[in-house]
Amino acid sequence: MKLYNQILPWLHQRTQITVHRQLLLISGPERWAIEQANTLLAESSLLLWIGNSEGLQNSSNSQQYRQFLGQEYQHLLINCYSGFRANAIIALSGVVRAGGLMVIICPSIEDWPSYQDPEWQNRVSFGYLSSFTTSSFIQILTSKLQADANVAWLTPTAFRGSITQIPSSRQQISFEEDKFDEQSAAISAIIKVATGHRNRPLVLSADRGRGKSSALGIAAAELINTFGKNIIITAPSPATVERVFHHAEINIHNVKVSKNQLESDTGSLTYCAIDDLLQNEHCADILFIDEAAALPTHFLMQVIDRFSRIVFSTTLHGYEGSGRGFELRVKQYLKQHKPQFKTLQLHQPRRWLCGDYLEALWFDVFFMASLPAPELKVCNEKVEYCLISKQQLIGDLVQTQAIFQLLINAHYQTSPDDLVRLFDSPEQHCFVIKQNQHILGVALIIEEGGPVLAEVNQKIATGARRVKGHLLAQNLAFQYAQGAFCELTQWRITRIAIAEELQSQGMGQQLINYIAVSAQSNNISVLSSSFGLNLDLLRFWQKAGFSVVNLSQQSEVSSGEHSAQLIKPLTLPAEEFLLAMQYEFQAELLYQADKSLQRFETHVLGELLLTCPPQIANECTSIEIIEQFYAGTRPLVSCKRLLRSYFIAQLHAASTLTNTQFLLLVAVLLQNVANVEISKKYALKGKKEIEENIRTAIGLLITFNKRSAHASTLEH
């Protein structure tokens, strides 16, 4: 009862004055903590409960957190006994409204780092779980929470909590005016997209709580009321746009409300799922895309191509790193295809007050607050390549933050969950490039394969078993039915990043070379990597000595690119595996060229084919037909199969052709691309000109082949 006499007045006082959002930790036995939370928040009408509630509250699990983004709650409760998920923590913190409370249930501070968190098994690979007994990240987290005077604590024996009242000063009034001016500018910019020149999209970006949704809703109402516009809005889910619809509904004249739609006599606002938007015809004067960073980038690129008036609304933090992905990928695509697009960033919070405690806390905990950028340059001073141990990561958090910032800036998928793995995953290691204590580059590697898979390797190879982690070791063992491949000790490079101002100077290659030397000294047989394939990345990894041995048949949802898997053998047994895989990979590549890879980038497919082992030469009986085609007495349609086989056998002679001729043969003979697309891509005037260009290219291969045969005869 004594505890309630302390915490209830604190809770009551928070409702009587203007306060910042805060974090309350209820730390103790789970059942006790749930009972306290249920009692303290019993009167809350806007409560979101994540994790086990012992049936006392309706609850959801942290895997479903995306469906709540864009909504608002007075109280958010997360039960960390059900698992600590960093991505969900920082994203969900944004649903707490001004003056609200985020509540975390957790074990005691002494026990939490060693608590057997259910999420551990999602972060640690098979065979390594027993070596993971204490979470270094949770130790860092609890240390930061204890040091923050704005964090309130409730334990079975004590309560600690302070409240800092926000003064009603002229400064706050000025701040409110700034908020109004900033949002007014955003609303005006949105309206201009719909009423001004075409093909000038707007990218509206901000951290959470800056009023993007309300700006979209108010602008939608103005476009409907004044300009009679029909608006389509898309987002990860209908729940995401609830706030947009709320602000639009209260501002539209004579509004009629139906499921996923607001209508008036002059216009409408309609929600449409992104796949429906792309698969079916939809008429709209302007398209809104809310929480764009949470949608697959290749979908967004298709939308850019299809619609001439678009407003993107995107969150910078909290979407598993994809906010940065939007910056890296979608903005680059806009620069190429809609170069007159505009950007507008909102800085002042609207959902909560400036200087918000809760936002500052989580940005600090997850190293999301930007560091001052050091002036980096390669000079005569020594550049150091080294492995950073877990102890060094923990002991120098400033250095670790610099490492993580570099990963965030370079990789669109880097997320708060990755920070937890950096500290806690025993099979993950971090290599860096340093100069004068500045981090110039970083690479993360994961241990795979080896003795830990010895007992399950045959089951993996037959598809009967799949274990946590060991991504490439398992994929390649199954793809090629080579169980023994699992037993090779492997390092998979999962991330590599070089500071932007130091790129294209060979530092990435040098870092990979250093990792390869370290791997050999640790008796590692294989280096591997996997990424969404494009020509620049392919050439980078090929230069480092890696060979592609597998390619996904479907493009990845997140990137729109096919995922490539590469290996670099470091031992003789690994080289033997590579050679066997390459022959099988080439056969699969050729088989899939006009099937799942028909729309694959032709120049990338061509590059892959050039690195494959040579095929057996054509039989002499086919040469006569090939020469008839070259002479113009035989049409393409009557000998396309033989031309395909001949081209494959002569891939080693590709240097004889121009790049355009080579890619034309790949597209026509291997991918079987339609003439309409060929004409458009290579600026050719229909079937006749396509055939003439193929005939010229085949003639060059025939000439090269005859010269080679003649030279060989002379030598003998």
Side-chain angles (χ1 to χ4, degrees):
M1 194 66 185
K2 182 179 178 181
L3 287 175
Y4 284 105
N5 290 337
Q6 296 177 44
I7 192 171
L8 289 177
W10 178 81
L11 288 171
H12 178 71
Q13 186 183 4
R14 293 189 83 260
T15 65
Q16 302 303 305
I17 57 176
T18 303
V19 295
H20 281 303
R21 303 183 308 158
Q22 284 184 263
L23 174 67
L24 167 64
L25 283 179
I26 303 180
S27 178
E30 182 178 15
R31 182 178 292 275
W32 170 85
I34 290 173
E35 290 174 352
Q36 309 313 304
N38 189 64
T39 301
L40 295 173
L41 304 178
E43 302 300 320
S44 177
S45 58
L46 283 172
L47 168 65
L48 174 61
W49 190 300
I50 302 293
N52 177 34
S53 67
E54 295 283 351
L56 297 176
Q57 293 278 352
N58 291 328
S59 63
S60 298
N61 61 55
S62 59
Q63 285 75 24
Q64 300 171 325
Y65 75 91
R66 283 176 176 267
Q67 71 185 59
F68 303 107
L69 304 182
Q71 302 178 52
E72 289 188 18
Y73 297 89
Q74 186 63 29
H75 298 102
L76 165 69
L77 187 141
I78 298 179
N79 184 352
C80 287
Y81 276 99
S82 300
F84 183 91
R85 190 181 180 94
N87 286 350
I89 292 282
I90 193 167
L92 287 173
S93 68
V95 308
V96 182
R97 59 168 51 172
L101 198 61
M102 181 175 184
V103 182
I104 284 183
I105 288 175
C106 63
S108 67
I109 298 307
E110 297 77 20
D111 296 337
W112 196 2
S114 58
Y115 169 67
Q116 297 295 306
D117 191 315
E119 285 290 329
W120 278 15
Q121 61 185 354
N122 295 324
R123 292 196 287 264
V124 181
S125 299
F126 175 85
Y128 291 86
L129 198 58
S130 61
S131 60
F132 179 39
T133 57
T134 302
S135 169
S136 297
F137 176 80
I138 296 297
Q139 288 178 326
I140 294 167
L141 170 65
T142 55
S143 176
K144 285 177 176 287
L145 295 180
Q146 286 178 304
D148 192 327
N150 297 309
V151 175
W153 292 76
L154 176 64
T155 71
T157 59
F159 170 73
R160 181 196 86 179
S162 63
I163 297 175
T164 303
Q165 184 172 353
I166 307 299
S168 179
S169 63
R170 182 66 197 169
Q171 182 179 1
Q172 186 65 29
I173 295 172
S174 174
F175 162 65
E176 294 292 341
E177 292 173 350
D178 290 342
K179 286 200 299 185
F180 179 79
D181 291 342
E182 200 172 55
Q183 188 172 65
S184 296
I187 293 168
S188 297
I190 294 168
I191 291 172
K192 190 172 182 179
V193 175
T195 59
H197 293 289
R198 298 164 68 88
N199 293 316
R200 296 185 179 182
L202 172 68
V203 176
L204 186 63
S205 61
D207 288 328
R208 296 202 179 284
R210 266 61 182 178
K212 299 186 302 299
S213 295
S214 56
L216 287 175
I218 296 168
E222 179 68 14
L223 288 171
I224 292 169
N225 293 335
T226 306
F227 299 97
K229 300 296 184 181
N230 291 304
I231 306 163
I232 287 179
I233 184 168
T234 190
S237 71
T240 305
V241 297
E242 281 186 0
R243 300 300 301 170
V244 178
F245 271 74
H246 168 74
H247 287 282
E249 181 181 344
I250 61 178
N251 286 284
I252 294 174
H253 302 156
N254 302 317
V255 65
K256 301 172 186 176
V257 181
S258 58
K259 184 177 181 181
N260 294 333
Q261 189 175 57
L262 300 176
E263 290 182 284
S264 77
D265 296 334
T266 55
S268 63
L269 173 65
T270 306
Y271 171 81
C272 181
I274 187 78
D275 53 350
D276 181 23
L277 184 69
L278 293 171
Q279 291 170 11
N280 301 298
E281 289 294 326
H282 292 275
C283 295
D285 297 306
I286 184 171
L287 173 67
F288 290 176
I289 305 178
D290 197 17
E291 298 295 5
L295 293 168
T297 54
H298 71 288
F299 280 176
L300 298 178
M301 292 172 186
Q302 292 178 57
V303 166
I304 291 168
D305 293 337
R306 183 176 299 187
F307 292 87
S308 61
R309 299 182 188 274
I310 313 171
V311 175
F312 297 90
S313 170
T314 178
T315 301
L316 298 180
H317 287 108
Y319 265 122
E320 301 181 8
S322 54
R324 184 61 185 164
F326 186 92
E327 292 287 311
L328 293 172
R329 291 171 175 260
V330 180
K331 277 195 175 179
Q332 284 299 117
Y333 195 81
L334 281 168
K335 287 177 184 178
Q336 296 169 8
H337 296 83
K338 301 286 175 73
Q340 291 183 297
F341 81 99
K342 308 296 182 184
T343 62
L344 182 62
Q345 185 170 346
L346 303 180
H347 300 90
Q348 299 287 9
R350 290 186 63 85
R351 197 181 296 171
W352 47 79
L353 300 172
C354 190
D356 178 70
Y357 293 159
L358 194 62
E359 181 178 63
L361 168 67
W362 293 121
F363 275 22
D364 176 55
V365 166
F366 293 119
F367 294 175
M368 304 298 281
S370 297
L371 289 172
E375 292 187 12
L376 303 177
K377 58 182 180 179
V378 176
C379 53
N380 294 328
E381 297 181 40
K382 183 180 178 182
V383 174
E384 179 185 3
Y385 296 82
C386 60
L387 170 69
I388 300 292
S389 68
K390 301 288 187 190
Q391 290 71 26
Q392 288 171 313
L393 290 171
I394 298 164
D396 189 346
L397 294 184
V398 174
Q399 174 184 255
T400 304
Q401 184 169 3
I403 290 170
F404 194 62
Q405 287 277 304
L406 187 54
L407 290 169
I408 289 174
N409 291 335
H411 282 274
Y412 72 97
Q413 289 183 322
T414 302
S415 71
D417 279 349
D418 290 314
L419 179 66
V420 179
R421 294 188 189 97
L422 185 63
F423 284 113
D424 287 347
S425 295
E427 74 278 28
Q428 183 178 94
H429 305 291
C430 180
F431 289 85
V432 300
I433 310 171
K434 297 172 65 177
Q435 186 181 62
N436 292 331
Q437 301 306 308
H438 293 314
I439 302 297
L440 310 184
V442 58
L444 301 182
I445 67 105
I446 293 279
E447 295 179 20
E448 294 193 354
V452 297
L453 297 185
E455 294 184 2
V456 295
N457 73 78
Q458 291 305 316
K459 290 183 177 180
I460 289 171
T462 61
R465 181 79 185 271
R466 183 82 185 189
V467 299
K468 181 67 181 175
H470 304 277
L471 177 67
L472 261 65
Q474 293 191 90
N475 282 359
L476 296 178
F478 173 69
Q479 177 71 22
Y480 298 108
Q482 293 285 351
F485 182 75
C486 281
E487 294 192 60
L488 295 182
T489 51
Q490 305 171 38
W491 279 2
R492 175 165 61 92
I493 301 174
T494 62
R495 297 278 194 278
I496 182 165
I498 305 298
E500 186 174 359
E501 57 268 49
L502 301 179
Q503 291 175 7
S504 302
Q505 297 184 28
M507 299 186 76
Q509 294 289 333
Q510 293 175 42
L511 181 55
I512 292 176
N513 290 339
Y514 180 82
I515 292 171
V517 171
S518 298
Q520 287 178 309
S521 66
N522 283 277
N523 298 316
I524 302 301
S525 296
V526 176
L527 288 183
S528 67
S529 191
S530 179
F531 53 82
L533 188 64
N534 61 55
L535 194 58
D536 290 339
L537 282 176
L538 175 61
R539 288 174 175 170
F540 171 84
W541 287 96
Q542 285 177 335
K543 186 177 180 181
F546 286 72
S547 300
V548 181
V549 290
N550 197 22
L551 185 68
S552 67
Q553 293 185 18
Q554 303 294 327
S555 58
E556 298 296 311
V557 172
S558 59
S559 67
E561 296 171 336
H562 290 253
S563 177
Q565 298 177 342
L566 307 87
I567 63 173
K568 177 177 182 174
L570 302 177
T571 62
L572 182 58
E575 290 177 358
E576 293 172 350
F577 274 114
L578 171 61
L579 188 60
M581 288 177 180
Q582 281 184 308
Y583 277 109
E584 289 294 325
F585 174 61
Q586 183 190 32
E588 184 66 16
L589 206 60
L590 292 169
Y591 175 74
Q592 295 292 350
D594 61 349
K595 300 175 182 65
S596 66
L597 299 179
Q598 187 177 43
R599 295 192 171 276
F600 186 61
E601 291 289 348
T602 301
H603 58 286
V604 181
L605 178 59
E607 190 92 5
L608 286 174
L609 289 170
L610 290 176
T611 63
C612 290
Q615 289 277 305
I616 299 172
N618 242 61
E619 295 181 6
C620 293
T621 54
S622 301
I623 298 301
E624 184 178 352
I625 295 176
I626 302 299
E627 290 182 336
Q628 288 171 4
F629 169 75
Y630 173 53
T633 60
R634 180 180 289 273
L636 175 64
V637 69
S638 70
C639 58
K640 194 171 182 180
R641 176 180 62 83
L642 294 176
L643 287 172
R644 180 182 186 275
S645 299
Y646 184 77
F647 174 52
I648 292 169
Q650 301 301 324
L651 282 173
H652 65 284
S655 59
T656 307
L657 309 174
T658 67
N659 187 57
T660 299
Q661 287 172 330
F662 174 69
L663 295 180
L664 179 63
L665 292 182
V666 172
V668 174
L669 300 180
L670 301 185
Q671 291 181 289
N672 202 25
V673 177
N675 284 341
V676 173
E677 293 184 41
I678 293 292
S679 298
K680 182 179 179 182
K681 188 170 185 178
Y682 297 100
L684 300 174
K685 298 176 182 178
K687 177 181 176 182
K688 183 177 180 181
E689 194 169 346
I690 292 172
E691 196 159 321
E692 288 173 356
N693 278 266
I694 294 173
R695 185 173 287 113
T696 300
I698 291 295
L700 292 171
L701 293 179
I702 291 173
T703 302
F704 177 86
N705 196 36
K706 286 183 176 179
R707 286 176 180 170
S708 298
H710 180 66
S712 179
T713 301
L714 291 178
E715 288 178 5
H716 290 84

